Amino acid sequence: MGVLPLLFLVTGAHGVLVRCPALGQTPPDVAARIVAKASAAIGAAPQPVARLKSEGLLPTHRLAVQASRARQDFDKVRALAYAWRLTGRGEYLGSARVILLAWAGTFRTSANPIDEARLPVLAEGYALVRADLAVADRLAVDAWWRGILAGHLAKLRGRQQANNWQSHRIHIATAIAFALEDLGALNELSRHHRTQVLRNIRSDGSTFDFRQRDAIRYAAYTLQPLVETQLLLAEAVPLPAFQMREVLTRLEAGLDWLLPYADGRRTHVEFAARKMPTDRKRAEAGITGYSGLWDPAGARPLFWLATYLDPSYRPVAATLSAQAPDPLVACRGQPAER
């Protein structure tokens, strides 16, 4: 694969950072699916929780079930936000507002990046409606997000990790900072991102998580937030050009390492040398993906995301799934052909 291109944040009249510059060119079929999903969420009762807890638990655990149910609100807000921007119909904005305020009044961060790994979905939706909320609502939700951001930044400034926890933490914080248009936080996060990419991905493309867990599942699980973070960051966030190129080259190495497993040229028996008790517990419980051969379907979202960095990944992405996820197409347009 060629060296990944440098990326830019887009500036515009509605704020310092413009989320989803391609929204006005959303294909009709994609827009229709998003609007249908949003319409089903109009008037839905919010399901906020004070804490999200699933890390280290079996998916059948009461708290994990509760967290999974609560996280459905994140997808609802994102769909409602896109539908609002696509149609201008106030019921979409109003329903997104109700869910956001419910979460702002209930949830308090634990700064656990696995429990909170899907918060970027909610932040994506918020970024699309933030400028259209009443001032009092925007200030209340902003303050809530800033508390979550502060919690994750404090962890990043403390003991450094090299595993997927750090990758997800940086992605969470970056998505929130982007929604809040916090350029100071984005500057800091760009440095954390560079450090994590270079620590997590070796020059041969293997990840810390694969070496630790003996699982392709966890290679994809750390690469996806790293790629998503890169898509949010920009050359405008000051990093010297050689450092930016270093980051992009290492990301490409990680994706290229994963590529033959994703396209079926190679296979891997997952967790064969497992050492972590959590992995053993999940395998013994028969949880899908914790034994046997790795299923390339687990890399579907990752390689569609990677296509927006380098179109040469499109063939493998299209093999894994016929089309990119609708929110990704609405936000960034159709991925380029090779």
Side-chain angles (χ1 to χ4, degrees):
M1 302 294 175
V3 175
L4 304 176
L6 297 178
L7 300 168
F8 299 83
L9 291 177
V10 181
T11 60
H14 284 88
V16 178
L17 306 178
V18 176
R19 179 74 188 176
C20 301
L23 199 55
Q25 290 78 48
T26 302
D29 61 325
V30 172
R33 287 192 295 270
I34 290 173
V35 169
K37 184 173 182 179
S39 295
I42 291 174
Q47 303 179 87
V49 291
R51 285 281 193 274
L52 290 164
K53 181 58 185 173
S54 55
E55 182 265 323
L57 303 177
L58 294 176
T60 52
H61 190 284
R62 176 183 59 85
L63 292 176
V65 171
Q66 180 189 65
S68 178
R69 185 182 303 116
R71 291 186 190 106
Q72 293 173 13
D73 279 355
F74 303 172
D75 295 290
K76 291 174 184 174
V77 167
R78 181 168 66 177
L80 289 161
Y82 275 106
W84 157 245
R85 292 287 298 273
L86 287 165
T87 70
R89 289 170 53 187
E91 59 263 41
Y92 296 123
L93 176 62
S95 291
R97 169 189 174 273
V98 168
I99 298 174
L100 284 162
L101 288 173
W103 276 84
T106 305
F107 178 76
R108 296 298 176 264
T109 185
S110 65
N112 180 310
I114 307 307
D115 291 336
E116 300 180 7
R118 296 203 74 243
L119 278 178
V121 174
L122 187 61
E124 180 180 348
Y126 183 56
L128 290 169
V129 302
R130 180 173 180 258
D132 302 306
L133 295 176
V135 172
D137 293 338
R138 183 169 66 250
L139 290 175
V141 181
D142 275 6
W144 174 70
W145 278 121
R146 290 192 186 282
I148 299 172
L149 176 60
H152 285 283
L153 284 174
K155 294 285 188 179
L156 287 169
R157 293 165 184 160
R159 183 174 65 87
Q160 295 296 299
Q161 295 174 292
N163 67 0
N164 67 85
W165 282 49
Q166 191 83 338
S167 302
H168 283 282
R169 190 185 303 287
I170 294 167
H171 179 216
I172 293 164
T174 301
I176 296 170
F178 194 101
L180 295 174
E181 304 178 80
D182 188 335
L183 293 177
L186 287 169
N187 276 313
E188 177 179 350
L189 287 160
S190 71
R191 296 190 290 273
H192 289 302
H193 176 59
R194 173 181 177 270
T195 298
Q196 174 64 0
V197 167
L198 297 181
R199 291 182 68 188
N200 185 271
I201 307 171
R202 284 182 174 176
S203 58
D204 67 359
S206 63
T207 63
F208 177 93
D209 298 272
F210 176 76
R211 299 190 300 274
Q212 182 184 51
R213 310 292 277 273
D214 187 30
I216 303 292
R217 177 189 185 95
Y218 277 95
Y221 191 61
T222 198
L223 286 170
Q224 183 167 328
L226 293 175
V227 171
E228 290 187 278
T229 297
Q230 186 60 43
L231 284 168
L232 286 170
L233 292 174
E235 196 177 64
V237 177
L239 270 182
F242 78 92
Q243 291 183 1
M244 182 65 75
R245 183 64 60 188
E246 187 179 34
V247 167
L248 296 171
T249 300
R250 194 64 67 87
L251 278 173
E252 181 186 57
L255 290 164
D256 288 350
W257 182 92
L258 183 60
L259 189 61
Y261 297 99
D263 67 17
R265 285 176 287 154
R266 299 187 66 179
T267 60
H268 182 264
V269 177
E270 294 285 81
F271 303 98
R274 76 174 57 87
K275 300 176 182 177
M276 297 188 68
T278 300
D279 297 337
R280 288 196 298 272
K281 180 172 70 173
R282 289 170 177 161
E284 290 165 0
I287 303 302
T288 301
Y290 283 86
S291 61
L293 293 176
W294 178 67
D295 182 358
R300 284 173 181 164
L302 170 59
F303 276 100
W304 275 118
L305 286 159
T307 297
Y308 289 87
L309 293 177
D310 185 339
S312 63
Y313 292 112
R314 182 165 182 159
V316 67
T319 298
L320 296 171
S321 180
Q323 57 193 14
D326 287 339
L328 199 54
V329 174
C331 187
R332 299 185 175 276
Q334 290 285 9
E337 301 284 350
R338 290 188 65 176

